[in-house]
Amino acid sequence: NYITAKSFQPLKQIRSELIRKFTNKNKKIITIFGYNTSNNQIRSMHEPLTSFKVQDIFLNDCIALSRKFNDYKFILRFKSLEWLKNNYFKKTLGKLKKSINIEISRNYNFNESYKLCANSQLIICRWTSLIDEALAAGKKVLIYDYAGNSSPITQEYFNYNNKIICKNFIELQEKIDLLTNRKKSFNDFIPKNKLIKYYGKLSNNKDYTKISIRNKIEKYLLKKDSNK
């Protein structure tokens, strides 16, 4: 048995409130969310977005960013850290450890990713659902849609507005510069009316999304019941 929906109603990003409820310390922090990679090199060769080579390029790009924007602290966040034990990344991780303003987040307490988002002036992501949650919470987000030999894929499937999507390292670097040096506002990258259309208006009520969802469901059910 299954049910097919006749229509869909966006009901906001409920986890965005996890970002907004944590204190924004307003520090000069840029958090970068990356992918995990396989522990098996042969298997990783069949994964164009998460191969060892692509992961190593990603790490080196992050190190290069930290050197370019050396007045910011860069925090790298991954879903797990098992792959760090792989000798393939030993040289690159050695470079990272020597850098004074970049580190890998190793705190896996509950909601730590949302705390990092809350305390970041800018969030950079490979594709993840956290993009929507961060945008809904009013955070500045850039999508790094580059993976070595593969072509950009995010803009093919997600209508975020191409201006927040960076298809190569140079484009990412230029857009970080525009945002961190306030040469452009984030509204120039993705208009507020588009964010409101997708995620609704921001509210100071930390339970606003839950209440909104409840009210919409209740309104729909009452309308349906009155039509019987």
Side-chain angles (χ1 to χ4, degrees):
N1 294 331
Y2 61 89
I3 298 172
T4 302
K6 293 181 180 179
S7 63
F8 297 89
Q9 173 65 50
L11 293 175
K12 309 184 188 304
Q13 296 288 324
I14 192 166
R15 292 185 180 180
S16 67
E17 285 159 9
L18 289 174
I19 298 172
R20 297 181 62 231
K21 81 173 185 177
F22 294 118
T23 303
N24 188 338
K25 297 178 181 177
N26 201 29
K27 291 183 178 179
K28 298 183 76 172
I29 294 173
I30 296 175
T31 299
I32 305 178
F33 290 86
Y35 290 152
N36 289 343
T37 187
S38 169
N39 289 329
N40 184 296
Q41 187 171 1
I42 303 300
R43 185 181 301 164
S44 87
M45 291 178 181
H46 300 280
E47 300 291 342
L49 299 180
T50 59
S51 68
F52 283 11
K53 181 180 178 180
V54 168
Q55 191 78 335
D56 199 54
I57 290 171
F58 178 77
L59 290 172
N60 277 289
D61 285 351
C62 293
I63 294 169
L65 288 174
S66 72
R67 291 174 178 173
K68 169 73 175 177
F69 302 96
N70 55 20
D71 52 342
Y72 281 82
K73 179 180 180 181
F74 285 76
I75 300 176
L76 308 187
R77 180 72 174 180
F78 303 91
K79 285 192 174 181
S80 69
L81 300 177
E82 282 297 312
W83 58 274
L84 292 180
K85 300 174 183 177
N86 198 307
N87 284 331
Y88 186 94
F89 304 105
K90 187 175 181 179
K91 182 179 178 181
T92 302
L93 291 174
K95 286 166 57 179
L96 191 147
K97 287 178 182 178
K98 291 178 182 178
S99 301
I100 61 173
N101 65 322
I102 184 170
E103 64 182 48
I104 295 175
S105 170
R106 297 175 183 273
N107 184 347
Y108 282 84
N109 291 336
F110 185 64
N111 289 338
E112 182 62 23
S113 291
Y114 298 102
K115 289 179 183 178
L116 288 172
C117 285
N119 293 322
S120 299
Q121 282 194 16
L122 177 64
I123 298 163
I124 300 169
C125 299
R126 306 294 297 280
W127 189 85
T128 165
S129 59
L130 198 62
I131 293 168
D132 293 288
E133 292 156 357
L135 287 172
K139 304 299 292 186
K140 297 175 184 176
V141 180
L142 292 175
I143 303 170
Y144 193 25
D145 197 17
Y146 173 73
N149 295 326
S150 68
S151 58
I153 61 169
T154 306
Q155 67 188 48
E156 289 187 38
Y157 301 101
F158 302 96
N159 186 22
Y160 289 116
N161 188 323
N162 290 349
K163 289 184 179 180
I164 71 168
I165 297 174
C166 307
K167 298 182 285 296
N168 55 59
F169 179 75
I170 293 173
E171 191 175 359
L172 175 64
Q173 190 172 254
E174 289 173 348
K175 290 182 179 180
I176 293 173
D177 182 57
L178 288 173
L179 288 172
T180 56
N181 291 314
R182 298 186 179 181
K183 296 174 183 176
K184 279 194 174 183
S185 73
F186 194 60
N187 191 56
D188 293 322
F189 283 77
I190 181 165
K192 287 183 180 179
N193 61 348
K194 195 164 191 176
L195 291 173
I196 291 171
K197 178 183 175 182
Y198 288 162
Y199 309 117
K201 293 182 179 180
L202 288 175
S203 169
N204 292 325
N205 186 341
K206 68 179 182 178
D207 294 319
Y208 173 76
T209 301
K210 295 176 185 177
I211 294 168
S212 177
I213 291 172
R214 185 190 66 198
N215 290 345
K216 285 188 177 183
I217 292 173
E218 184 179 339
K219 185 177 179 181
Y220 173 79
L221 293 174
L222 289 174
K223 182 179 177 181
K224 187 175 181 181
D225 191 56
S226 66
N227 290 334
K228 288 183 178 180

